[in-house]
Amino acid sequence: MLAAMSSAALRPSSQATAVSRDRGDACPGTLRLHAADDGALARVRIPGGVLTVRQAEALADAAQRLGDGDLHLTSRGNVQLRGLAAGCGAELAEPLTAAGLLPSRGHERVRNIVASPLSGLDAHGLRDVRPWLSALDTALCASEAARALSGRFLFALDDGRGDLAGLEADVTVRATADGGAQLALGSAGRALHVSAKDAPRAALVAAEAFLEAERADGTRAWRVAELALAEGELTAAVGRRLTAEGIGHERQARETGRADGPLPGAVGDALSVHVPLGRLSAPQWRELTRVATGELRLTPWRGVVLPTPGTTAAQRTGSLARLAAVGLVTDPDSPWLRVGACIGRPGCAKSRADVRADATATLGAVGAAHHRGGLPLYWSGCERRCGHPRGERIDVVAAPEGGYRLSVVAPGHDEARTVPLADPSRLAAALAEIT
């Protein structure tokens, strides 16, 4: 979510933790808005993060007419619109439907699919996953059973480079060197190998098997990790359903992966930029659509990849300069790549601080003390740590008594300390000590 750099992902215990809930899934969508302190919030699912220029312009227009004017990127490559009027759901849905962003109103909250953002654009992937993406989204929207998935259930399509494997999505499909695909569930160490042509259908079958297990379990689980099943039990259940569907498969060890995205700059036949704190202003969004040659790809690390086939090196250099001029990150050494934050004040009533303003104010000190390759920092206004990244990181959490409490989320670290932020150098010094 934060940095486009490698870090070993923390793996949860092999024993799932059962979750008991007395309410339904309230995850927001485009039709179901969430009431925040800065107005209503809509979350528009963008499968694979892929937007046509027309769709991008429709989102920008909706943000300016109905919201705060900005587009807020999420850790799943989706877009949030904030500052909306409470009753504007129908008014918002109309232009988004016309732009093809709401192909099924009954499935709009479950179209949570991330995909390798550079797939087909450089030499590092084993397969272009775009056909998988289109097939899975179509199948998902056609499945009546899939409507019961929570708005948090996540599919990941990894083109073989391993960039999404570390996200531990609920269902991960990863291209394999033999031309097939590996289907994995949550953090399970075992996986199922299927043919490439069957991969999208197998992913949907896996999700439907999860729903069946969730009903039998009776815990109202929203994610695979929440099912109270023994290690490998869900994988075995998926295997049985695949057999019933006539999809050949075999069990195998899961390939390891990480969770990192492309660094900013020219990458293969594309340009990559990072969006500080995931917030895109209208001028930034307009510049992205001007540079785009046909589509934009939003990444799970709050970045944007712009395919640029057929352009020259000079043209790409000029485009990067234009994007940098509007405040987007094009420098692979920028400290912004290691810094993220929840919405904080004034958007969230539970937040104890304006974490985004504090993260921005201390950026220079953090950059000087925290060299490239260090753990990402995630600023949170409270202990919920909304939107925090997977894997190792430094949590910077607003403390009830004021200041921030720093802790390292990594094996072997249990130290935490509270630091005032009147002087950013105090944060830099604390970071140097705690890491």
Side-chain angles (χ1 to χ4, degrees):
M1 162 182 191
L2 301 175
M5 54 187 57
S6 297
S7 62
L10 292 176
R11 298 186 67 84
S13 165
S14 61
Q15 297 297 316
T17 302
V19 176
S20 179
R21 296 189 173 93
D22 58 2
R23 63 179 178 85
D25 174 25
C27 196
T30 303
L31 304 177
R32 177 194 291 178
L33 306 185
H34 169 74
D37 263 25
D38 57 349
L41 176 155
R43 184 174 300 156
V44 185
R45 268 62 176 191
I46 314 291
V50 179
L51 286 168
T52 65
V53 171
R54 174 172 170 260
Q55 289 172 332
E57 290 172 343
L59 281 170
D61 178 67
Q64 289 184 293
R65 287 192 304 107
L66 304 173
D68 64 7
D70 294 338
L71 294 109
H72 304 258
L73 306 188
T74 78
S75 60
R76 294 181 167 192
N78 294 321
V79 170
Q80 291 187 161
L81 306 181
R82 301 188 68 97
L84 300 167
C88 77
E91 188 178 1
L92 173 63
E94 183 178 350
L96 299 190
T97 299
L101 290 166
L102 288 175
S104 169
R105 296 194 174 202
H107 296 80
E108 63 102 3
R109 294 192 314 127
V110 305
R111 299 171 68 225
N112 292 305
I113 310 172
V114 293
S116 298
L118 285 174
S119 191
L121 299 174
D122 65 4
H124 296 294
L126 297 176
R127 145 186 313 271
D128 186 347
V129 298
R130 287 293 296 278
W132 283 355
L133 175 62
S134 298
L136 175 57
D137 188 38
T138 298
L140 190 64
C141 289
S143 168
E144 189 64 26
R147 297 177 62 162
L149 291 170
S150 83
R152 294 164 171 80
F153 194 91
L154 179 65
F155 297 88
L157 304 179
D158 189 311
D159 70 357
R161 73 185 67 215
D163 58 342
L164 298 183
L167 291 179
E168 294 179 354
D170 297 286
V171 177
T172 299
V173 178
R174 179 173 178 171
T176 54
D178 61 5
Q182 187 175 90
L183 178 70
L185 302 162
S187 61
R190 301 290 293 178
L192 300 170
H193 185 276
V194 299
S195 69
K197 68 179 178 62
D198 286 332
R201 184 170 161 226
L204 179 60
V205 168
E208 292 174 344
F210 160 81
L211 288 171
E212 185 176 279
E214 184 257 350
R215 287 192 294 270
D217 191 44
T219 57
R220 301 185 71 180
W222 294 338
R223 306 289 309 276
V224 164
E226 297 170 0
L227 284 176
L229 298 178
E231 175 75 20
E233 190 173 341
L234 182 59
T235 301
V238 171
R240 291 191 293 271
R241 285 185 66 102
L242 291 176
T243 298
E245 294 280 340
I247 300 175
H249 62 279
E250 60 182 32
R251 290 173 66 89
Q252 61 180 207
R254 181 177 187 164
E255 294 187 32
T256 59
R258 57 194 191 282
D260 60 1
L263 289 168
V267 188
D269 288 331
L271 301 178
S272 171
V273 298
H274 179 75
V275 181
L277 303 180
R279 186 168 188 163
L280 279 161
S281 66
Q284 289 173 329
W285 197 251
R286 281 196 298 269
E287 197 60 49
L288 283 167
T289 57
R290 290 188 187 112
V291 169
T293 57
E295 69 179 28
L296 301 82
R297 300 185 184 182
L298 312 180
T299 80
W301 302 276
R302 291 185 167 90
V304 183
V305 167
L306 302 170
T308 57
T311 59
T312 66
Q315 288 172 324
R316 290 193 290 273
T317 298
S319 293
L320 285 172
R322 289 165 52 190
L323 295 170
V326 295
L328 296 169
V329 175
T330 61
D331 177 5
D333 289 315
S334 170
W336 273 124
L337 299 179
R338 296 181 296 281
V339 177
C342 70
I343 195 65
R345 290 181 181 171
C348 177
K350 297 184 184 297
S351 180
R352 303 184 184 112
D354 186 344
V355 293
R356 296 188 166 211
D358 289 339
T360 301
T362 59
L363 184 68
V366 169
H370 206 53
H371 59 80
R372 177 176 169 181
L375 294 178
L377 274 69
Y378 193 75
W379 295 69
S380 302
C382 71
E383 286 76 13
R384 294 185 307 163
R385 298 174 174 85
C386 293
H388 69 74
R390 299 285 303 180
E392 299 178 357
R393 64 185 184 275
I394 298 173
D395 270 340
V396 188
V397 181
E401 66 272 20
Y404 286 85
R405 191 160 182 80
L406 274 62
S407 60
V408 178
V409 181
H413 287 269
D414 57 8
E415 183 181 8
R417 63 186 62 196
T418 302
V419 181
L421 283 185
D423 180 359
S425 66
R426 296 286 297 275
L427 174 61
L431 285 171
E433 291 177 17
I434 202 169
T435 56

